[in-house]
C-alpha cells in the first residue's frame, strides 16, 4: 500500500532535512497528522517566515531580519575589532558569552581542499572590502573552529591580511580540537578569547 499523496509529499519534505532518515521522516509526518490544526498552521508559517524574512547583513554576513544587523548598527560596540567566525550560530555563542563587545564577520563555511571549498566559496572578499572601506578596524580575531578546516582558513586569512598591517589574532586552544565553536561552553569560549595570540 502506498501513502496518500499529501503524506508522501510531507515525508519527502522531512527527508530533505539534515539528520532525518526515511523512518524518522515517516514518524514526523504521522505526528503532524496528530497535531492540532493551529499548531500545524503556526509551524508552516514559521517555516515560511524564517525563509522569507531572514537575510544576510550586507556588512558582516550574519543572518538578520534588518540590514545592517543589530550588531553592525549598534553604536555602543567596539568598532575597532572584528571577530571572524564560520557560522551565524557562532555569533550567537559569542554573544551569550557577553564579554565580547566588538563586531563580527561571518564566513559561512571554511576552506576545505578535501571537499573542494576554496576561499572564493566563503565570505572572504567582503571582509577585504570591509577592511579597505573602514580604516578604524585595528584587530581581526580569527575564531574559526579548532579543526583542520578552521585552522586552514585561519592560516589563509592571516597570510592574506598580513600586508594590511592590521593586528591578526587567533583564539587560544582552550577549545577542544576537532570541536565546534558553537558547542563550546561560555567559560571555555571566554578563556579562548582572552588567550588569543598574534598570528
Ligand atoms: Zn552585520
Amino acid at each position: 500500500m502506498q501513502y496518500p499523496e499529501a503524506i508522501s509529499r510531507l515525508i519527502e519534505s522531512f527527508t530533505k532535512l539534515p539528520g532525518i532518515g526515511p523512518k524518522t521522516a515517516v514518524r514526523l509526518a504521522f505526528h503532524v497528522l496528530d497535531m492540532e490544526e493551529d499548531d500545524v498552521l503556526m509551524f508552516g508559517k514559521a517555516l515560511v517566515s524564517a525563509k522569507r524574512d531572514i537575510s544576510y547583513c550586507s556588512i558582516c554576513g550574519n543572518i538578520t531580519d534588518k540590514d545592517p544587523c543589530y550588531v553592525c548598527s549598534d553604536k555602543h560596540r567596539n568598532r575597532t575589532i572584528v571577530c571572524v567566525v564560520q557560522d551565524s550560530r557562532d555569533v550567537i555563542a559569542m554573544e551569550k558569552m557577553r564579554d565580547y563587545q566588538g563586531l563580527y564577520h561571518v564566513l559561512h563555511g571554511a576552506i576545505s581542499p578535501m571537499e573542494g571549498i576554496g576561499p572564493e566559496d566563503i565570505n572572504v572578499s567582503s571582509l577585504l572590502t570591509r577592511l579597505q572601506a573602514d580604516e578604524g578596524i585595528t584587530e581581526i580575531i580569527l575564531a574559526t573552529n579548532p579543526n583542520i578546516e578552521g585552522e586552514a582558513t585561519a592560516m589563509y586569512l592571516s597570510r592574506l591580511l598580513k600586508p594590511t598591517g592590521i593586528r591578526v589574532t587567533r583564539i587560544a586552544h582552550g577549545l577542544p580540537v576537532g570541536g565546534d565553536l558553537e558547542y563550546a561552553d561560555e567559560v571555555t569560549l571566554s578563556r579562548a578569547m582572552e588567550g588569543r595570540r598574534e598570528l
Side-chain angles (χ1 to χ4, degrees):
M1 185 200 134
Q2 280 198 335
Y3 294 117
E5 174 74 23
I7 288 287
S8 297
R9 254 183 298 162
L10 187 56
I11 293 170
E12 207 185 302
S13 295
F14 278 126
T15 314
K16 287 180 183 158
L17 298 175
I20 307 284
K23 270 189 193 165
T24 309
V26 169
R27 194 160 57 84
L28 290 174
F30 276 83
H31 179 77
V32 170
L33 292 184
D34 290 334
M35 281 165 72
E36 297 289 336
E37 185 160 342
D38 278 356
D39 290 338
V40 176
L41 283 175
M42 218 147 65
F43 184 45
K45 265 194 197 154
L47 284 175
V48 175
S49 133
K51 185 65 193 170
R52 276 202 193 137
D53 302 341
I54 300 292
S55 60
Y56 298 105
C57 173
S58 57
I59 299 172
C60 70
N62 194 15
I63 51 163
T64 183
D65 50 9
K66 63 180 173 84
D67 191 25
C69 72
Y70 79 98
V71 175
C72 289
S73 49
D74 184 348
K75 295 279 174 285
H76 300 292
R77 310 271 316 196
N78 179 349
R79 313 191 78 81
T80 65
I81 308 178
V82 174
C83 180
V84 178
V85 294
Q86 286 181 212
D87 200 285
S88 291
R89 286 167 292 187
D90 300 331
V91 174
I92 309 279
M94 295 280 292
E95 286 296 282
K96 268 197 205 144
M97 183 176 84
R98 288 165 197 268
D99 286 2
Y100 181 68
Q101 288 302 318
L103 305 174
Y104 295 99
H105 195 86
V106 183
L107 295 173
H108 296 289
I111 295 169
S112 172
M114 294 283 283
E115 289 174 47
I117 302 169
E120 64 286 351
D121 300 312
I122 57 175
N123 195 21
V124 168
S125 62
S126 71
L127 177 62
L128 293 179
T129 313
R130 192 175 169 188
L131 293 177
Q132 277 157 7
D134 186 350
E135 287 178 353
I137 297 168
T138 56
E139 181 179 355
I140 300 285
I141 303 171
L142 300 174
T144 49
N145 289 335
N147 55 24
I148 295 171
E149 291 81 15
E151 291 299 340
T153 308
M155 282 309 292
Y156 173 82
L157 287 175
S158 76
R159 276 193 211 121
L160 188 73
L161 298 173
K162 218 61 302 141
T164 64
I166 298 170
R167 183 173 182 232
V168 179
T169 54
R170 175 89 174 109
I171 51 169
H173 284 288
L175 293 169
V177 172
D180 275 359
L181 203 65
E182 183 195 337
Y183 300 118
D185 66 88
E186 284 148 46
V187 177
T188 308
L189 199 51
S190 183
R191 290 220 181 107
M193 284 292 277
E194 274 167 28
R196 68 182 183 270
R197 65 194 155 75
E198 198 123 4
L199 285 180

